[in-house]
Amino acid sequence: SSGINAEYGVILDEKYGNKFAARFTALTKKEVMGSGNIKKLLASLTPLASCIQFEENKCVLSQIMLMLCHRYPRVRKGIADSFYTALITFDDAIDGCDEVVEVLESTIWDD
């Protein structure tokens, strides 16, 4: 079956979803790695977090964890907010979703 990401107008087929998430994560990582451009970093967060909807999402989760430890508080806060929204939207995307949401809600990310 196909899924439509209305926000970005992308049609994704389940057969190719796993490759999409891995490729998108790799390209995003390459683009923002070491970047001091806050606008570029912030622009990458919501699309990255949305990739947790795919079955093979370990590479996405790894990149999200790295972004949660970013040196810029706005990036940490941004990825926490985007990840929280993605988890609420795709609540079956990861095991222990409720616990992760609780940590995201209770942590002050922009300190």
Side-chain angles (χ1 to χ4, degrees), residues 4 7 15 21 29 39 54 56 79-80 107 109 111:
I4 298 178
E7 184 176 355
K15 180 178 177 184
K29 182 178 178 179
K39 289 182 181 181
F54 299 107
E56 294 295 321
I79 194 62
T107 304
W109 294 103
D111 230 2

Side-chain angles (χ1 to χ4, degrees), residues 39-52:
K39 289 182 181 181
K40 181 189 284 189
L41 288 163
L42 293 175
S44 72
L45 303 179
T46 298
L48 178 65
S50 295
C51 285
I52 68 158

